[in-house]
Amino acid sequence: MKEEKVYLRLKKKIAVKKQHLIRLRDLAHITGNIDYLEKLKELKIYQITEKDNNVSVIDGFQLLEKLVAQYPFLTIELLDSNQTIIEIKKEEKKANLLLILVVWLLLCIGSAMAIMNFHYDVSMEEVHQGLFYLLTGEKQEKPLWIQIPYSIGLGLGMILFFNHIFKKRFNEEPSPLEVEMFNYQQDLDQYLIYHENALNKRDES
């Protein structure tokens, strides 16, 4: 008689609606040599309730407890990640155009002030004047033919640096901002895994 074996790879993160009944197929990628694999995928694991708020965490050990209770003779192997973060979606609200406009204005003004203060600190105007004198031998208070291309180049450089213009991406390489957001999300997920995990709460109590 062959050994009945199932392999599970937990998904790192899933998003569900409120009051969603989570089944095994929602949490993991599943394969194995059993005939009732499709039935196993439909196994009820967890019911989302109001107490879960925005985030819940399913630990691999909790999952194994349920599977062993239901299928005691089944050999189960857990691969890769040991937890799944469940993000509970809220009802989508319509975008507030006034709020978007206010935030957009604040960001534009803040960015402009930061650039202006930087140029003032490094005396960029004097640098341009010195560069103009070095190239032409003449003194000019406002060397526009240097300042205008510099300003255009500054904007183009920012676009290339962030690898985006609106929703258009120039290539598949992630921008520095996307990398930082990814690292931040990884740290946030690790925090949630520790603090929202029911097993950790059980150990602390």
Side-chain angles (χ1 to χ4, degrees), residues 86-100:
I86 303 169
E87 183 181 350
I88 301 161
K89 291 181 180 179
K90 294 181 178 179
E91 294 181 3
E92 293 186 1
K93 297 180 180 179
K94 290 184 179 180
N96 189 326
L97 294 179
L98 179 61
L99 181 61
I100 292 173

Side-chain angles (χ1 to χ4, degrees), residues 15-139:
V16 300
K17 294 180 180 179
K18 287 184 177 180
Q19 306 302 324
H20 183 77
L21 175 59
I22 296 174
R23 300 179 185 274
L24 185 58
R25 58 178 165 79
D26 298 322
L27 293 173
H29 302 285
I30 311 159
T31 188
N33 63 350
I34 58 175
D35 299 328
Y36 50 93
L37 188 62
E38 292 303 317
K39 180 183 177 182
L40 182 68
K41 290 180 180 180
E42 297 301 318
L43 180 66
K44 298 174 183 179
I45 302 298
Y46 186 72
Q47 173 68 57
I48 298 294
T49 65
E50 293 294 333
K51 293 180 180 179
D52 292 303
N53 295 322
N54 299 324
V55 175
S56 186
V57 174
I58 297 293
D59 192 274
F61 187 78
Q62 294 172 289
L63 195 59
L64 289 174
E65 281 183 328
K66 285 186 175 291
L67 288 170
V68 169
Q70 291 283 336
Y71 302 94
F73 302 107
L74 184 62
T75 302
I76 305 161
E77 190 163 337
L78 199 60
L79 308 174
D80 199 19
S81 177
N82 290 323
Q83 294 91 13
T84 297
I85 297 173
I86 303 169
E87 183 181 350
I88 301 161
K89 291 181 180 179
K90 294 181 178 179
E91 294 181 3
E92 293 186 1
K93 297 180 180 179
K94 290 184 179 180
N96 189 326
L97 294 179
L98 179 61
L99 181 61
I100 292 173
L101 181 62
V102 170
V103 172
W104 181 79
L105 284 173
L106 287 174
L107 289 173
C108 285
I109 293 170
S111 300
M113 291 295 294
I115 293 171
M116 289 167 64
N117 287 331
F118 167 75
H119 284 77
Y120 180 79
D121 288 341
V122 299
S123 303
M124 187 60 72
E125 186 177 11
E126 293 179 10
V127 172
H128 287 165
Q129 291 169 354
L131 185 60
F132 183 88
Y133 179 75
L134 182 67
L135 295 174
T136 65
E138 298 178 3
K139 291 186 177 181

Side-chain angles (χ1 to χ4, degrees), residues 145-162:
W145 66 271
I146 291 179
Q147 292 176 337
I148 292 173
Y150 172 80
S151 300
I152 295 172
L154 187 65
L156 290 175
M158 292 297 289
I159 291 172
L160 292 173
F161 180 75
F162 286 107

